[in-house]
Amino acid sequence: TSKRYFHARKRTFVTDMGAKEAMDISTQSKTPFDRIIKNLQEREKELNCLYKVEEILNTTEDVEKAIRSLIQVIPSGYQYPEYCQASIRHVDQEYHSPRFWPTEWVLRASFDVEGKSEGEIAVYYREQMPLEYEGPFLKEERKLLDNIAERLGKYILHQRGKKLMDEWQPAKERITRDT
């Protein structure tokens, strides 16, 4: 049997003869079954990322804390999470992944609150990756980011509504009591 140890992208593998060779596994010929498995693994990452996003937005009251948590979670949904970093701009605040630096390999999605643009989520790769649907990003990753941006906008609107209700409740009680 042939021994092969693959690591991400251009990395080393060991052949059955023990020789070390470097190759770009993204261009390696794969069987249709291998491609199906790879595609399913990517969809699983994207779905798990969405579950984490939903959990954060459903359990976190503070918008800033939620955004900081999203920054940590978003890269996990991308094809190369170890090379991925996220940035969220909300009004005049910027939030970034640890050791963040912008690069030319970026995917952006703006988010609206009450029909007005309030910010942007950007996902960057730290180094060049193989070309896909939109630069180094898959078509499904575009959908993922658009979905997260839309969900974040709705979350911010919901949090504002809750705050208004909390502020309005004492006034309503006073009016009811005084009548």
Side-chain angles (χ1 to χ4, degrees), residues 113-127:
V113 178
E114 295 185 270
K116 186 175 134 191
S117 180
E118 284 215 8
E120 177 183 79
I121 304 174
V123 177
Y124 296 83
Y125 278 124
R126 290 190 168 115
E127 60 183 62

Side-chain angles (χ1 to χ4, degrees), residues 6 15 29 50-51 87 89 92 94 102 141 155 164 174:
F6 288 97
T15 65
S29 65
L50 279 175
Y51 287 152
S87 169
R89 180 185 46 76
D92 58 353
E94 293 251 358
E141 291 170 335
Y155 164 80
L164 285 173
R174 273 194 318 275

